[in-house]
Amino acid sequence: MATKIRLQRFGRKNYAFYQIVIADSRAPRDGKFIERIGSYNPNTNPATIDLKFDRALYWLQTGAQPTDTARMILSREGVCLKKHLLEGVKKGAFDESAANAKFEAWLQEKRTSLQEVRNDERESRKAAVKASLEAEKEVNKAKAEALARKKADLAAEVRAQAEAAAKAKAEAALKAETAPAEVPAEPAAPAPAE
């Protein structure tokens, strides 16, 4: 039976995550499988991979063929490198302690690079939040200045109207004081009848 290491889709629409399984190559994608060896969630940054390292290495050594995506995941986790180093030990290229030392050095470098990616992501999120806060402060400052200008213009307009009303009242009062009192005129006599 030809076995494959492949991904089995789970999750909802637009939010897929996958189980890494060992399955018969004739079985459907989400159908029957032999063993579940891990999970893969591409929705996080960096992608979250939970893998049973020893079982994945066992199945690779047994002859299971990974799909392209599964190969990338296994390579990222170091399973392919470990298999390659163990084959070198079998051929006598180097001893097992040298292979383990090489693998541990690679693993340490990988952890460091992943931690740097997480730190960069965290810093970029902080910078984005800070930039949005600064932009919001600028917008609020511009709105406050516009509101202050509007209030000042309104106050100046009210003041000008009050001054104009006071001036008109003063002019009316002055006119009333200076104008002679009008005496009502006597009615004209009616014209004689013919």
Side-chain angles (χ1 to χ4, degrees):
M1 161 173 69
T3 55
K4 286 248 186 215
I5 302 175
R6 64 179 173 205
L7 302 179
Q8 201 174 43
R9 189 185 193 283
F10 284 88
R12 60 179 157 75
K13 184 177 180 181
N14 295 328
Y15 194 84
F17 62 91
Y18 303 90
Q19 302 293 335
I20 304 168
V21 297
I22 310 298
D24 185 357
S25 61
R26 297 167 291 183
R29 178 193 73 177
D30 296 338
K32 187 176 177 183
F33 61 90
I34 299 168
E35 181 181 357
R36 178 184 171 276
I37 60 171
S39 64
Y40 168 62
N41 185 358
N43 301 308
T44 60
N45 189 12
T48 306
I49 299 172
D50 179 31
L51 186 67
K52 296 177 185 171
F53 189 88
D54 296 333
R55 293 305 295 167
L57 183 62
Y58 165 78
W59 281 104
L60 267 182
Q61 289 175 331
T62 306
Q65 295 297 312
T67 60
D68 293 338
T69 308
R71 180 176 286 114
M72 294 297 289
I73 292 169
L74 294 176
S75 180
R76 178 179 165 184
E77 291 298 304
V79 177
C80 294
L81 177 64
K82 184 73 170 184
K83 178 182 180 253
H84 176 73
L85 291 172
L86 290 177
E87 286 176 2
V89 169
K90 284 181 189 173
K91 292 179 180 176
F94 41 82
D95 62 347
E96 194 169 336
S97 61
N100 287 336
K102 286 182 182 181
F103 182 72
E104 288 300 322
W106 177 86
L107 196 58
Q108 185 62 34
E109 181 182 326
K110 186 70 173 178
R111 286 181 186 148
T112 304
S113 66
L114 280 176
Q115 189 60 39
E116 288 174 3
V117 167
R118 286 187 187 110
N119 291 341
D120 290 345
E121 180 68 23
R122 189 177 309 120
E123 292 300 320
S124 68
R125 264 192 253 125
K126 284 182 182 178
V129 167
K130 188 174 182 180
S132 94
L133 184 62
E134 292 298 323
E136 189 173 337
K137 283 181 181 178
E138 290 297 321
V139 167
N140 288 344
K141 186 177 179 183
K143 284 182 181 178
E145 288 174 358
L147 185 62
R149 265 188 262 116
K150 187 175 181 182
K151 283 183 178 180
D153 291 346
L154 187 60
E157 187 178 317
V158 167
R159 205 175 307 119
Q161 287 177 355
E163 288 174 3
K167 188 175 180 182
K169 192 175 182 182
E171 285 178 4
L174 186 62
K175 199 177 202 184
E177 288 176 8
T178 58
E182 291 184 18
V183 178
E186 294 183 19
E194 295 180 31

